Amino acid sequence: MTNSNDLSSEISQILNEKWDITKTTVIPEPEDIRLSNHAKDLENVTVLYADIDGSTNMVQNYKWWFSAEIYKCYLKCAARIIKDEGGAITAYDGDRIMGIFNGNNKNNNAVRAAMKISYAVDKIINPAIKKQYNNTDFTLKHQIGIDTSQIFAARTGVRGSNDIVWIGRAANFAAKLTSLSNKPILITASVYENIQDNLKINSNGTNAWTHFAWTEMNIGIYGSSSFVSF
């Protein structure tokens, strides 16, 4: 059984032990990182967080099994699309999923994945919900955040029960963007400036993105409601 002396000793070790940092271009698995102060340095990656909007209200006002079905539908589509676009799924957290993209096309792939997820919500999931439950007033809404930066991967927890934590701006900002509600897809200016023109313009030639000031973080962000079909 754990006691305070055990925890004090372990905390002291964490705070005093030197970090062993390994540069990598490969998204690590938990077994690739030691539980000691060992980290993987991903110098330049793009992080996508996709989250169901209004899930708290959903679980409070609908049957548990209905909420479970919505979770499964959304996360199934998001996961398939992230993987199809070359992303690595790095975490599920309740009603959200985290994906990391690397390589030369990381920003294009992440944004295209986001637009495909929006298409799936609007053109696949919501019509299927209405068909199955024709008396429901429920409409699935979602929020995606994307940022790009250097991040570090460390392993945390105890033996037999541990996982990776992702430390860096992109992981933090992408998650925070899902709490905003300007547009279903929100990306930082760092991402917007590095995506292809065909992801910036709608098929009718109009701008697919709206610029916003993210005052909390003092940076510019761009929002979109556009789709990419598949």
Side-chain angles (χ1 to χ4, degrees), residues 21-220:
I21 301 171
T22 307
K23 288 187 178 294
T24 184
T25 58
V26 178
I27 310 301
E29 299 290 342
E31 57 269 22
D32 298 326
I33 306 172
R34 301 189 302 275
L35 269 171
S36 58
N37 283 5
H38 176 219
K40 296 283 189 175
D41 175 3
L42 294 113
E43 190 172 5
N44 193 357
V45 296
T46 298
V47 178
L48 177 154
Y49 263 96
D51 190 7
I52 293 176
D53 188 13
S55 60
T56 300
N57 180 69
M58 177 177 67
V59 299
Q60 288 178 331
N61 292 286
Y62 294 86
K63 300 292 187 181
W64 73 264
W65 47 263
F66 179 81
S67 297
E69 290 173 4
I70 301 305
Y71 279 26
K72 287 171 67 68
C73 289
Y74 183 69
L75 295 175
K76 168 75 77 173
C77 289
R80 291 280 296 273
I81 291 166
I82 289 169
K83 289 178 70 68
D84 284 350
E85 289 298 326
I89 297 168
T90 53
Y92 291 95
D93 181 14
D95 62 343
R96 65 167 52 183
I97 185 172
M98 175 184 176
I100 297 181
F101 297 77
N102 59 2
N104 294 333
N105 291 312
K106 57 186 176 294
N107 294 296
N108 293 316
N109 294 345
V111 171
R112 190 180 302 106
M115 289 181 165
K116 286 185 175 182
I117 294 169
S118 280
Y119 177 90
V121 168
D122 192 72
K123 305 299 183 183
I124 300 173
I125 301 175
N126 275 324
I129 293 170
K130 300 301 183 187
K131 180 179 179 180
Q132 181 67 28
Y133 303 106
N134 52 37
N135 292 323
T136 186
D137 59 354
F138 178 83
T139 299
L140 174 62
K141 298 180 180 179
H142 74 128
Q143 194 71 47
I144 296 176
I146 304 174
D147 189 26
T148 187
S149 77
Q150 179 184 34
I151 64 172
F152 294 85
R155 193 172 175 185
T156 187
V158 296
R159 294 194 182 281
S161 184
N162 55 78
D163 205 351
I164 293 178
V165 290
W166 306 91
I167 305 102
R169 192 189 99 156
N172 185 259
F173 278 21
K176 283 183 175 294
L177 286 170
T178 64
S179 67
L180 306 181
S181 57
N182 309 66
K183 295 282 186 177
I185 304 170
L186 292 171
I187 65 176
T188 61
S190 300
V191 175
Y192 180 82
E193 291 162 2
N194 288 284
I195 58 174
Q196 298 167 341
D197 288 344
N198 66 342
L199 293 174
K200 295 180 179 179
I201 304 298
N202 290 315
S203 58
N204 61 5
T206 59
N207 195 336
W209 298 89
T210 303
H211 180 265
F212 301 97
W214 191 10
T215 54
E216 180 186 1
M217 295 302 166
N218 196 32
I219 65 168

